[in-house]
């Protein structure tokens, strides 16, 4: 059986809605992502954080959730930590997409049956482990299909999957779908 892990990477959050504390906003976004990961059927949930964010990671972690401390909030250190833990596949997703559907995470992992790397632009990267030597390090904003294909032996080694937006500014609030399940913590801070 293939051992998979999906890791919520605590990424910088520089904006919060008016009247909402930035720290509380960031914690709510990340906690909603972690709550989603905890409900995944065929993957182990985990959190990755830089030393500056370790306290937040431990605060939002479910009991037993692995917290990886990484030097930078980028994909390669997270994938390497998952490989050291014995996982066969890993996905790294941004912890500021509180309403990302679980189905989208499945679409990010599915190509790994035949591809080395898959990317959901702006949201996450998945890879067979250990990560391929040619996979250069990127933050999740820079991890686009084109950027990852530049160093791949063949462009077809990187599969592009559907993208999902993150909550990084006022315009993103209008894209939240109240009909989607989940994102309770973010919803509560928004007053709904």
């Amino acid at each position: 059986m293939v051992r998979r892990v999906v890791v919520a990477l605590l990424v910088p959050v520089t904006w919060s809605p008016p009247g909402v504390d930035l720290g509380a906003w960031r914690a709510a976004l990340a906690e909603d992502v972690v709550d989603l990961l905890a409900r995944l059927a065929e993957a182990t949930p985990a959190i990755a954080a830089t030393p500056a964010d370790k306290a937040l990671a431990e605060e939002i972690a479910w009991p037993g959730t692995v917290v990886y401390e990484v030097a930078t909030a980028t994909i390669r250190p997270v994938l390497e930590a998952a490989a050291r833990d014995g996982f066969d596949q890993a996905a790294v997703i941004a912890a500021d997409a509180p309403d990302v559907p679980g189905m989208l995470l499945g679409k990010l992992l599915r190509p790994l049956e035949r591809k080395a790397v898959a990317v959901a632009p702006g949201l996450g990267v998945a890879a067979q482990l250990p990560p391929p030597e040619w996979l250069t390090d990127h933050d999740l904003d820079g991890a686009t299909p084109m950027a990852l294909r530049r160093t791949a032996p063949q462009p077809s080694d990187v599969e592009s999957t559907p993208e999902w937006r993150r909550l990084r500014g006022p315009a993103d609030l209008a894209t939240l779908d109240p009909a989607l399940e989940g994102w309770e913590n973010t919803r509560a801070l928004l007053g709904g």
Side-chain angles (χ1 to χ4, degrees), residues 144-151:
T144 65
M146 291 300 288
L148 298 183
R149 287 177 179 141
R150 278 190 203 112
T151 55

Side-chain angles (χ1 to χ4, degrees), residues 7 14 18 21 47 53 55 63 74 79 81 83-84 139 142 169 176 181 189 192:
V7 185
T14 59
D21 175 74
I47 302 169
D53 288 332
T74 55
L79 295 173
R84 284 191 299 274
D139 63 23
L176 287 169
E181 289 186 30
L189 279 183

